[in-house]
Structure formats: structure tokens, C-alpha cells
Amino acid sequence: MDRLFTDQLGEWKRSCYCGEPRAVGVGREMIFVGWAQTRRDHGGLIFVDLRDRSGLVQVVFNPEVSAASHEKAKQIRSEDVIAVRGLLSRRPPETVNRQLGTGEVELLVHEVKLLNASQVPPFPLDDYAEVNENTRLKYRYLDLRRPESLAHLLLRYRMVKKIRDYLDGLGFIDVETPVLTKSTPEGARDYLVPSRIYPGKFYALPQSPQLFKQILMVAGLDRYYQIVRCFRDEDLRADRQPEFTQLDIEMSFIQPKDVIEMVEGMMARLFKELKGIDLRLPLLRLTWQEARARYGTDKPDVRFGLELKDFSACFQQSQVRVFSAVLQGGGMVKGLSVPGGGTLSRKELDDLTAFVANYGAKGLAWIKLADGEWQSPIAKFLSDQERSGILTITGAKNGDIIFFVAADDPVTHDALANLRLHLGEKLGLIPQDRYALVWVVDFPLLEYSAEEKRHVSVHHPFTAPLDEDIPLLATAPLKVRSKAYDLALNGVEVGGGSIRIHQVEMQKQLLGLLGIDADEAEAKFGFLLEALSYGAPPHGGIAFGIDRLAMILSGAKSLREVIAFPKSQRAVCLLTEAPSSVDPKQLRELGIKTIVDK
RNA sequence: GGGGUCGUAGUUCAGCUGGAUAGAACGCCGGCCUGUCACGCCGGAGGUCGCGAGUUCGAGUCUCGUCGGCCCCGCCA
């Protein structure tokens, strides 16, 4: 039998949030509204924990205070919406609840209004229950009633507010840019929006407002920022959603260090005011080369050591065939030395071998140092010279294990970077309560794409080369470094940007290097090239992943925790069940015919 | 597109090498209870074992396919 509550709120106005009343308010008549979290019915007395976003207050239904209210309260179940009016009272001393901010007081109810009955919730809303994520996301409105879930959104809001305050203080102007815009080549797959007025043509949702913010600099805005939704139609990860929020910043007449210092000030404020942490400025800064060499990645997690070591020189003439073969083929032998790693079992070593295979490594060699002995499948092939080389490079001691990967550059670094993180986690080497920020600078401007058989931008096609490397553009384009900088936080790329090309000839040269001919450039970026030719100032900026920052600052394991209504890994909104089919009439209006059924 | 993992009551899970009527806790329903606060006590209801094939005398359990959640590779300037 469905319960039906018909009371109306009427003139009742809440006195304060449920989590707020304290002993100083005792003796006042108060009204609370909210959701019944639990009801404890003692037959005579009924206690209800009334909850709203601020917390809990205990309300007491006593037949000697109000027989009518006590009678009504028997109907109350979890998640019903009720309003109570009564006397805020001090709890009897032996019943004070120290766990609760409101634990010294309770409301003696004189009158209750039953505003809306709830069905039995599909999962418990207390903090003790671990619930499957798909259930939580389907009933996200219930999930968000849980304080833990709400806290993530709250932290995110406070972070964004502080960012706005900071940038406002520095004279940045928030300007909105179009969401219906033009598809641009390079980069991720676009989300497309069909045009009704021009059948067969499409808008694209922005992957970022990159070109608009540059054009705002040409317009003389000087300092722009925006907190803006961006869209990329690529497969999802724990730290990747198809729509995500970017803090987009652009400034004129600046060098990389101006952006870096501005951002460091912002980070210092966020960490101070949100986490009570004093960042040491300037932040650690690594060149891209150094980050690759020491950590194997351009977004190193510098909360712990376990740095990569290069053994290439040591194994040039090695009897270990896989090593010498790879080296002769132009590859490298690198590895890492794990203090105390000698305890890893054979099974664990096999698992680690399978782990690096994920990243293309054909094998994982290892040496255990135990009681002066070298336990290793390759031990018998190692010369004395190699042994002493290994010890010098690693400083390894008894009880340690040394891993080796031999492959070409991307595979070696990729495999070891991931192995490093994996071992760091597995062996508990990563301090969980620390935040480590690091700038990575001087990225290469270009890399060669074997798949596309041309140069592609490492950052994006509008990134400026380092002044001293400009001559190399004509002679050795792959050696050119760029004025690009990324900020990594605990091994996650949270921000990235660059100084842009502001001279049209240089921009044309760059597009040429990317294999984009003049006609194509004109069709796709004509408006930008034209804008650059009308007195574009030197400019540059940076963009941050707001979701990622919020995720790390709130200690969440997934972006979904800091997004109110996230998509599942298959890019479905489990609440609304988007995407969905549409009425054939809508398709006709758009001049669209689908070629896939369902 | 590929690899891994999970899917059993409303929820979280157990269910062995295939074997009798699929269990527990919490939640839910009914009863009792005036100081509980994850109340307590007594009783009860509740299952398309994700779905579909197959193997078998017999499938929650094995095989194949499929759908969905999560993690990863590819992809993501």
C-alpha cells in the first residue's frame, strides 16, 4: 500500500539548516525541514534523524508533548520529506551524541507536516554502505544526498569560486565563447551538431575555445579567462569524460614565466585555502627531456623516487642477446631498482612481466641481490664489468631487485613509467597525503606520426617554437623545442599551455611543416590567419582540467565523483539513458538518414 | 577495435571438484518497546542466479555468444 502524504508547507519557514542548531539556541521555537534519515520507534518515544545538506538533527516525538504528532510520526519512513515545529531542547546529559555537531540538542516536536512520502530507497543512504556505481548513477539524486558525495561537489564549487576571485583580482575578464562552432582538423574526434538551416552541414562542439581565446587577444582583451565545457568524442577513462570543464586562460605581451608565475600564485592559494597546505614556490620544474629520462613520462608523479636508470652504455657488448640486439637496433636498456623488492615472488614477477607487455615491452628482465648472490635468469651472461656497472648505476644493495626493459624509446619509457607507478602503489611507496606539483617545459614542437606519415604537433599547431630553435624549423624540425608547459599533479596532467605563434608567416610555415597546404589552411584556419595579420599581440595561455583538479583535491579515484551527472565508460548517462533514438521527423528536418538500425 | 574483471533477494555478499527446497547480513513488512542515535527483541515476506544457446541424467557452478558496470591498451594535439 502506497503511503500518501498531503500536508502543505504553508507559511512555515525553516529556522536554520538541520546541521546548525547548537546549545545556545536552546529554549527557542524552531522549524526544521528535510529528509528523514532513520526512525527509531520505541513504542512510546519516536526519534527521527532529520537530514539536509548541512547535516543531521535529532527530532523527538513524545506523546506527552504532542499526541497527534507522535501518532503521525509512526508513518515516517526513510527519505520521507517532513517539516517539524517544536522547542529546541538540551538533551539529557547521558544522551548527548559527541559524533554529531548538533549532538547536544534535539527538537521536541509540537507539530509535524508530512510533505512527501518516499518509496523505499534502492540502496541505503548512510556512509557505511558500498554501493555499485551503476546503481548510484541511475539514482544520482539519492546518491548526492549522501554527505560524502555532496562533499565532492562542494569542494569543487569552492575551488572554482576561489579561482574566479583570484583571476578577477588580476584583471582577467570572463568572456563566453560559442558552443556551436566549427570542426577543426587535428586533435580529438569532434561531437557534431547537424544544422537544420543548412542540411548536410554541421557545427562541432568545442574541444577547447583555443582559437577564440587567441582571437580575443587580437581583439585587445589582454587578459581573458573562462570556465567552460569542452567536448571530445573519444573513449573514456577514470580521468577522461567526453564532456569536461576547462579553466581556459589567455594573456597578451607575456613569456612562459609570466604564465607560470600567475598559475603558481593561483595554486598556492587553492592549496592554502582548500587544504591548508603551504606550497613551496617556485614549483619544481623539469624539462621534457629530463622528465622522460627520469620518469619515462611527461606527467611524472614526483611524490616518490624509484627513478628510471639508463643501462644502455653498460650493455653495449653484452652477452645478454636481447640487450645487445636492441641496442644495436637503436633502442635502449633502462630499468629501475626497487629497494627491498627481493621479496617479490616468482608469480608476482610473472604478473609484472604481463603488466609491461601491456605497453609493448617484450619482456622484463630482473636481478635479485640476495646474500651477495645474483639471482636472475640472466645472471650467467653478465660480465664482471656489467655487474659493477649495474651496481654503480643503481646503488642497489642486498634484498633489492633491479628490473630491465630493452626496447625502442617510446616502449621502454612507457613500460617503465607505468611499472614505476604500479610498483609504487603495490609497495606502498606513494605517500597518500601529499601533493606534488611539477612543471614540464620545453616540449618538442613536433613529432613524427608513422601512421599519418607526417609531422604532427605535440601540443597544438599554434604553439610557438623556442626563439633559439627557430632556425631549426627549416633544417631539423623534430629537434625544435616549443614554448609549451604542462603542470602535473600527483602524476595527472592537470594543466597545459603555451605561448602562441602571433606572426602570420611563422604560423603558415608551421602549418606547412604539418603537411597542411595553403588551400587547406585557408579553409580551416583562414579566420585565424587573417586575424593574426591585423596586429596580433604576442600572447599565450594555459588551460586546466577543472574536473581533474577537483578529483585530486577531494581525494577521489574517478572524475565521476566530482561531476554531478557523469557518463559511464560507454559514454551513457545512466540517469537519463542518453544517448537515445530520436523521432524520425527530427531527422527529416535535419536532412539526416541513419545507416545503423536500433 | 582489443585485453582483464565483475554481474546471485531492494543492497552488500557467500554458494567448494556440477548434485536434494539457492543462503547470510542489512533493508523491507507485521508485532512489542519512553532515551535511542547504524536502537533492541519476536515473527514474516522477498530470487527470470544479467540474457540466450550448448554440454550433461542434472548447470548459480562448465563452454560459447550476448548485454551491462568498472580498469586498462588503442584513441585522447
Side-chain angles (χ1 to χ4, degrees), chain A residues 236-241 548 551 557-560 569:
Chain A
L236 288 76
R237 290 286 186 280
D239 62 353
R240 261 164 44 191
Q241 283 271 308
R548 287 182 178 178
M551 171 177 85
K557 289 258 183 312
S558 145
L559 238 42
R560 295 183 296 276
Q569 186 159 53

Side-chain angles (χ1 to χ4, degrees), chain A residues 413-424:
Chain A
H413 282 132
D414 211 23
L416 286 171
N418 284 291
L419 180 64
R420 173 179 176 266
L421 292 177
H422 185 72
L423 288 172

Side-chain angles (χ1 to χ4, degrees), chain A residues 224-417:
Chain A
Y224 143 94
Y225 88 101
Q226 187 182 187
I227 290 172
V228 60
R229 197 66 58 86
C230 300
F231 305 86
R232 292 176 192 179
D233 187 4
E234 298 292 350
D235 287 348
L236 288 76
R237 290 286 186 280
D239 62 353
R240 261 164 44 191
Q241 283 271 308
E243 56 178 307
F244 59 99
T245 303
Q246 198 168 285
L247 164 62
D248 198 43
I249 297 176
E250 198 79 359
M251 310 158 76
S252 292
F253 304 106
I254 46 111
Q255 315 175 51
K257 76 175 171 76
D258 298 298
V259 177
I260 285 172
E261 282 168 12
M262 182 277 294
V263 167
E264 289 184 344
M266 183 172 80
M267 286 296 157
R269 247 178 62 187
L270 291 181
F271 276 89
K272 181 70 186 170
E273 294 177 16
L274 295 174
K275 308 297 293 185
I277 292 170
D278 288 301
L279 283 189
R280 275 179 46 199
L281 299 184
L283 298 173
L284 179 62
R285 216 172 288 182
L286 298 175
T287 65
W288 180 85
Q289 281 291 354
E290 196 179 356
R292 285 287 282 185
R294 290 170 56 189
Y295 302 98
T297 173
D298 55 15
K299 47 177 181 177
D301 187 340
V302 295
R303 282 177 297 177
F304 67 113
L306 213 63
E307 293 186 17
L308 276 49
K309 307 291 180 193
D310 193 343
F311 301 99
S312 301
C314 182
F315 289 121
Q316 285 298 338
Q317 310 298 327
S318 182
Q319 295 301 304
V320 184
R321 292 277 304 278
V322 284
F323 288 0
S324 44
V326 162
L327 289 169
Q328 276 155 34
M332 50 177 64
V333 180
K334 294 186 70 166
L336 36 87
S337 169
V338 186
T343 55
L344 289 167
S345 69
R346 189 59 196 246
K347 165 85 169 73
E348 286 172 308
L349 294 174
D350 287 346
D351 289 346
L352 293 175
T353 306
F355 178 81
V356 295
N358 268 326
Y359 305 93
K362 295 226 166 55
L364 181 68
W366 50 268
I367 297 170
K368 281 184 185 177
L369 300 186
D371 305 324
E373 246 183 85
W374 291 52
Q375 301 175 359
S376 164
I378 59 169
K380 58 175 177 278
F381 302 110
L382 294 174
S383 67
D384 288 346
Q385 199 181 356
E386 284 169 341
R387 291 183 186 225
S388 69
I390 290 168
L391 289 180
T392 307
I393 291 168
T394 60
K397 297 187 296 289
N398 244 349
D400 297 354
I401 189 167
I402 307 161
F403 291 104
F404 304 88
V405 170
D408 62 18
D409 178 336
V411 167
T412 306
H413 282 132
D414 211 23
L416 286 171

Side-chain angles (χ1 to χ4, degrees), chain A residues 519-531:
Chain A
D519 287 347
E520 190 183 354
E522 186 56 35
K524 294 184 169 151
F525 309 111
F527 61 99
L528 176 73
L529 298 176
E530 192 169 20

Side-chain angles (χ1 to χ4, degrees), chain A residues 123-152:
Chain A
F123 53 87
L125 300 193
D126 55 45
D127 288 334
Y128 313 96
E130 291 278 326
V131 183
N132 261 348
E133 212 178 333
N134 52 342
T135 311
R136 289 176 51 206
L137 292 180
K138 181 174 177 189
Y139 300 97
R140 187 66 157 151
Y141 41 87
L142 298 178
D143 184 39
L144 290 174
R145 286 181 195 166
R146 298 164 59 231
E148 193 190 352
S149 296
L150 180 66
H152 291 139

Side-chain angles (χ1 to χ4, degrees), chain A residues 9-206:
Chain A
L9 186 59
E11 295 296 313
W12 281 25
K13 199 151 174 55
R14 75 170 145 224
S15 309
C16 63
Y17 282 121
C18 296
E20 292 174 345
R22 293 291 184 272
V24 290
V26 163
R28 284 179 51 201
E29 186 188 77
M30 296 189 113
I31 292 173
F32 295 127
V33 295
W35 288 262
Q37 173 142 310
T38 53
R39 180 192 54 135
R40 294 178 292 278
D41 186 343
H42 288 236
L45 285 177
I46 296 174
F47 300 95
V48 169
D49 287 340
L50 192 65
R51 185 200 67 238
D52 60 24
R53 71 177 213 198
S54 70
L56 284 181
V57 65
Q58 173 164 282
V59 302
V60 187
F61 297 90
N62 186 330
E64 290 160 20
V65 174
S66 166
S69 298
H70 179 259
E71 193 56 32
K72 281 176 93 173
K74 289 179 180 171
Q75 296 181 67
I76 295 171
R77 297 291 180 274
S78 287
E79 299 312 307
D80 287 347
V81 180
I82 66 172
V84 287
R85 185 181 57 78
L87 188 69
L88 190 72
S89 310
R90 190 178 289 277
R91 290 193 187 191
E94 66 278 11
T95 68
V96 165
N97 185 343
R98 298 282 167 209
Q99 324 284 339
L100 229 51
T102 60
E104 283 188 84
V105 298
E106 62 191 6
L107 193 80
L108 302 184
V109 177
H110 294 157
E111 189 181 357
V112 58
K113 292 188 175 194
L114 306 179
L115 298 172
N116 206 355
S118 171
Q119 292 194 54
V120 176
F123 53 87
L125 300 193
D126 55 45
D127 288 334
Y128 313 96
E130 291 278 326
V131 183
N132 261 348
E133 212 178 333
N134 52 342
T135 311
R136 289 176 51 206
L137 292 180
K138 181 174 177 189
Y139 300 97
R140 187 66 157 151
Y141 41 87
L142 298 178
D143 184 39
L144 290 174
R145 286 181 195 166
R146 298 164 59 231
E148 193 190 352
S149 296
L150 180 66
H152 291 139
L153 297 190
L154 184 64
L155 179 106
R156 179 182 176 131
Y157 166 71
R158 288 166 58 214
M159 182 184 87
V160 166
K161 173 77 164 62
K162 287 177 191 310
I163 289 171
R164 288 189 185 280
D165 290 346
Y166 177 79
L167 293 172
D168 181 70
L170 293 178
F172 284 83
I173 301 171
D174 179 353
V175 180
E176 295 178 65
T177 52
V179 167
L180 295 178
T181 181
K182 185 169 171 161
S183 177
T184 51
E186 309 278 304
R189 193 177 296 114
D190 286 320
Y191 274 99
L192 297 176
V193 179
S195 160
R196 174 182 56 82
I197 297 174
Y198 301 98
K201 299 201 170 177
F202 296 83
Y203 302 95
L205 302 181

